[in-house]
Amino acid sequence: AYHLQWLVKFGLANYENESELIAYYKENVRPHMKRLSVSGQAPLTEFIFEPIMIAANTYENSLFQALALSEASLWKVKKGEYAKSVELAEKSVAIYEKLLGKQDAATLKAMHRLGERLRANGEYQRAHDVIKEVYDLRKEVLGEKHPDTISALNSLAISYYYLGQHEEALLLFVQ
């Protein structure tokens, strides 16, 4: 774990170009984080997220910060910290939307994650509203047959289920 924390600190400190920093994170850090999670060592990810969040705050209101916040929200869910997960996901969405616009794929992915975090936090109506918006935007931008649109449709069906609207959920699942 110390080796990985050093890898993260060293790697993140050596990039001045944000796109190179994002590529380094996706290619070198994210795979290690997933490996820790799959191997049952998810608690170690908190240890590694410390330098990631320090770097993210250095790049305030940047795509790297939005990515780091979105990833951190996922790890907070895995730790059962649902309210904190929602807070991080909301910040991520706000940054993506400000920088890329609402219809960008990265913004829509972050919004979809926010909807999932809201659902995990028991905020079913808010989750439904966000996921419905994601579905509508993806359908408009990508078309009905795109895998991301279908994923949003599945999440929308689940949100109907959580709201107790089982018939609507079933209709979407059949679709």
Side-chain angles (χ1 to χ4, degrees):
Y2 288 107
H3 169 73
L4 185 54
Q5 189 182 41
W6 178 86
L7 175 76
V8 171
K9 281 182 182 178
F10 177 76
L12 297 179
N14 281 317
Y15 291 100
E16 292 181 21
N17 179 314
E18 184 185 12
S19 61
E20 290 176 358
L21 177 66
I22 291 170
Y24 176 83
Y25 175 82
K26 287 180 176 179
E27 293 168 15
N28 297 294
V29 178
R30 186 186 279 162
H32 289 292
M33 301 288 279
K34 286 184 178 179
R35 201 168 13 263
L36 286 171
S37 180
V38 170
S39 68
Q41 298 176 337
L44 290 176
T45 58
E46 197 70 28
F47 180 68
I48 292 155
F49 257 111
E50 181 185 333
I52 293 170
M53 294 313 294
I54 290 169
N57 291 330
T58 302
Y59 290 86
E60 194 166 339
N61 293 315
S62 68
L63 292 176
F64 179 71
Q65 185 179 42
L67 171 66
L69 289 167
S70 183
E71 298 272 323
S73 79
L74 173 64
W75 297 107
K76 291 296 183 184
V77 165
K78 291 184 182 218
K79 288 185 65 184
E81 297 176 19
Y82 303 114
K84 184 65 175 177
S85 174
V86 168
E87 177 188 327
L88 294 169
E90 287 173 332
K91 288 178 182 178
S92 175
V93 168
I95 295 169
Y96 275 123
E97 194 171 332
K98 178 181 175 186
L99 297 175
L100 303 174
K102 199 164 213 163
Q103 294 187 337
D104 185 82
T107 305
L108 291 171
K109 183 177 183 177
M111 288 173 66
H112 196 163
R113 281 185 171 181
L114 171 60
E116 292 171 349
R117 306 302 176 260
L118 287 164
R119 184 169 47 230
N121 197 39
E123 298 179 55
Y124 302 127
Q125 186 60 57
R126 251 185 92 202
H128 174 81
D129 295 343
V130 170
I131 291 169
K132 174 82 168 94
E133 184 177 11
V134 169
Y135 171 70
D136 290 342
L137 287 168
R138 283 182 171 169
K139 186 174 159 186
E140 176 187 327
V141 174
L142 304 172
E144 283 187 60
K145 305 280 187 208
H146 192 279
D148 290 346
T149 305
I150 294 168
S151 174
L153 180 64
N154 184 57
S155 290
L156 185 59
I158 293 168
S159 76
Y160 276 118
Y161 178 82
Y162 274 91
L163 289 172
Q165 299 176 19
H166 300 133
E167 287 183 30
E168 290 87 347
L170 186 58
L171 288 172
L172 293 181
F173 278 129
V174 170
Q175 232 180 13

